[in-house]
Amino acid sequence: MLLGSRRKISGRCLRVFATARLPKRSSLQQYAARIASLGKERRWESALLLLNEASASQLRLDSICCCAAISACGRSAKWSNALQLLNTMFHHGPAPDVPCINATISACTRQGRWDWSFRLLDDLQAHQLAPSVVTYGAVASACESAAMWLAALKLLGMARQAGLQTSLVTCSASISACEKAGQWQQACLVFESLQLSRLQPDSVCLNAVISACQKGSVWEQAMHMLAFTKQKGITTLVSFNATISACEKGSQWERTWHLLEEIRATRLLLDVVACNATISATAKGREWWSAVQLLATMRVWGVRPDGISFNAVLNACHAGSWWPGTLELLLEMRQSQVQPDRVSFNTSIS
């Protein structure tokens, strides 16, 4: 049906396929279940060969069986094979339904092919099929990967126009698209609309809003969103790290220290990202001694400093005109098996 001559399939694949075959006179439901199982095992070639075998038998393929094969291709990052199978369905049957197109959109989205995701949405409407909440969520995820925030917002409007309750997936993907494009105001507006629709935001959604605020250098809004995560009991290390970075950009070094202490007071495992952002904020505040102290304390906390950590402290020492410290730090970098880079040397000699 899809693969044509078996000469195109490797001998190894055919040998592996022998273990996937079903007994003669198996039902279509058994074929669909086995194809779905092969998809979960990332055995997309065997899934397509099994679909061909079902097609060559006296069974009449249905969209469920084909959808399982499309999903198998998507799970294995074979978006072009998923498209090829969908195209075959359009021309030779069985007629694809919304789940088939959704599975193909998801396959394209996983590989960053947002262009095809939009084409498939158009195809769905051209064939008088009504997009579902899942459809809009899958296309919104494509917008997220390409940072197409305007298209993501348009999708939200289309879903509402169609009388559909927007899903958390669609809203979160739209917020992430705005975040990647540096549109923090739009990300906050989408979050507000999410609350009005009575959807319960999760940590992924809230962290995307905080990250958008961090990129927009609006530390007050980031702190507000962090407080919201605490209220809901879904604060993660990503929430703290993004807020610390927002405060660092806003030159709020004292707040970064408070947030660092908050992390240590929780069960969250402190990482180098939070420490580096705090050191950078301290450097901006010309508190070079505090930056040096934090570098030493990181080891006590079990956090291994990296090149960014040392460069941030070097910058703090440079800003504080503590020249002997820069030479000591270069030596310490080598002792810690951290290779100094151009930034390290330039900061030391400037």
Side-chain angles (χ1 to χ4, degrees):
M1 178 181 179
L2 173 65
L3 299 172
S5 172
R6 284 195 176 184
R7 286 178 296 179
K8 297 178 182 178
I9 307 301
S10 67
R12 178 184 171 279
C13 178
L14 290 174
R15 287 192 296 275
V16 172
F17 172 62
T19 65
R21 300 186 74 169
L22 290 174
K24 290 183 178 180
R25 297 183 182 178
S26 294
S27 68
L28 193 59
Q29 289 76 15
Q30 287 172 313
Y31 271 106
R34 184 60 180 139
I35 290 170
S37 175
L38 290 169
K40 291 176 182 177
E41 296 169 15
R42 304 293 194 273
R43 295 169 63 183
W44 68 277
E45 289 177 307
S46 294
L48 292 183
L49 284 169
L50 197 61
L51 184 67
N52 273 357
E53 185 177 278
S55 179
S57 70
Q58 295 181 350
L59 296 172
R60 187 174 180 179
L61 290 182
D62 61 7
S63 60
I64 296 174
C65 211
C66 292
C67 187
I70 290 172
S71 295
C73 293
R75 285 174 179 270
S76 298
K78 299 296 178 181
W79 65 275
S80 59
N81 293 86
L83 277 174
Q84 190 178 355
L85 178 50
L86 184 69
N87 187 55
T88 302
M89 291 177 70
F90 273 124
H91 288 88
H92 303 289
D97 54 12
V98 174
C100 285
I101 296 177
N102 288 349
T104 312
I105 290 173
S106 294
C108 294
T109 298
R110 286 191 185 103
Q111 296 307 302
R113 295 309 304 255
W114 58 268
D115 50 343
W116 275 104
S117 296
F118 274 97
R119 288 187 198 179
L120 288 166
L121 178 61
D122 290 338
D123 284 347
L124 190 149
Q125 294 170 322
H127 286 82
Q128 297 183 333
L129 294 170
S132 66
V133 172
V134 175
T135 311
Y136 286 112
V139 181
S141 295
C143 295
E144 174 193 353
S145 63
M148 297 179 61
W149 66 279
L150 281 172
L153 297 183
K154 182 181 177 182
L155 278 171
L156 278 176
M158 288 170 63
R160 290 177 183 132
Q161 236 177 9
L164 294 173
Q165 171 71 44
T166 50
S167 69
L168 185 58
V169 172
T170 307
C171 289
S172 294
S174 300
I175 289 171
S176 292
C178 293
E179 176 258 321
K180 288 180 179 179
Q183 299 290 327
W184 70 270
Q185 299 101 325
Q186 294 297 333
C188 291
L189 285 173
V190 174
F191 177 72
E192 286 176 15
S193 70
L194 182 151
Q195 289 182 292
L196 291 173
S197 63
R198 297 183 181 179
L199 287 172
Q200 291 299 316
D202 58 10
S203 60
V204 175
C205 176
L206 287 164
N207 289 345
V209 181
I210 296 173
S211 294
C213 295
Q214 177 252 316
K215 287 187 176 180
S217 301
V218 281
W219 63 270
E220 300 100 327
Q221 186 66 20
M223 290 287 290
H224 173 72
M225 294 306 303
L226 180 65
F228 191 89
T229 67
K230 293 174 187 175
Q231 182 186 337
K232 295 291 182 181
I234 52 176
T235 311
T236 67
L237 187 60
V238 175
S239 316
F240 275 112
N241 286 353
T243 308
I244 288 173
S245 294
C247 290
E248 181 261 324
K249 283 189 174 183
S251 300
Q252 299 292 314
W253 71 272
E254 290 174 310
R255 292 182 189 275
T256 64
W257 276 85
H258 290 315
L259 290 168
L260 207 60
E261 290 299 331
E262 272 194 63
I263 296 174
R264 295 192 61 239
T266 67
R267 294 181 180 180
L268 298 172
L269 189 63
L270 186 67
D271 68 358
V272 71
V273 175
C275 292
N276 287 351
T278 304
I279 291 172
S280 295
T282 306
K284 285 184 179 180
R286 297 186 178 275
E287 296 288 331
W288 64 270
W289 181 241
S290 296
V292 172
Q293 282 186 314
L294 180 52
L295 184 70
T297 309
M298 285 172 68
R299 295 187 179 89
V300 178
W301 291 341
V303 181
R304 187 175 182 273
D306 58 12
I308 297 173
S309 314
F310 280 104
N311 285 345
V313 180
L314 280 167
N315 187 47
C317 292
H318 175 264
S321 301
W322 190 50
W323 311 116
T326 59
L327 298 176
E328 289 178 22
L329 283 166
L330 283 175
L331 180 61
E332 190 178 341
M333 285 181 80
R334 292 189 182 278
Q335 291 173 342
S336 303
Q337 297 183 329
V338 177
Q339 187 65 36
D341 57 16
R342 185 178 295 177
V343 175
S344 313
F345 290 118
N346 287 346
T347 306
S348 301
I349 64 177
S350 59

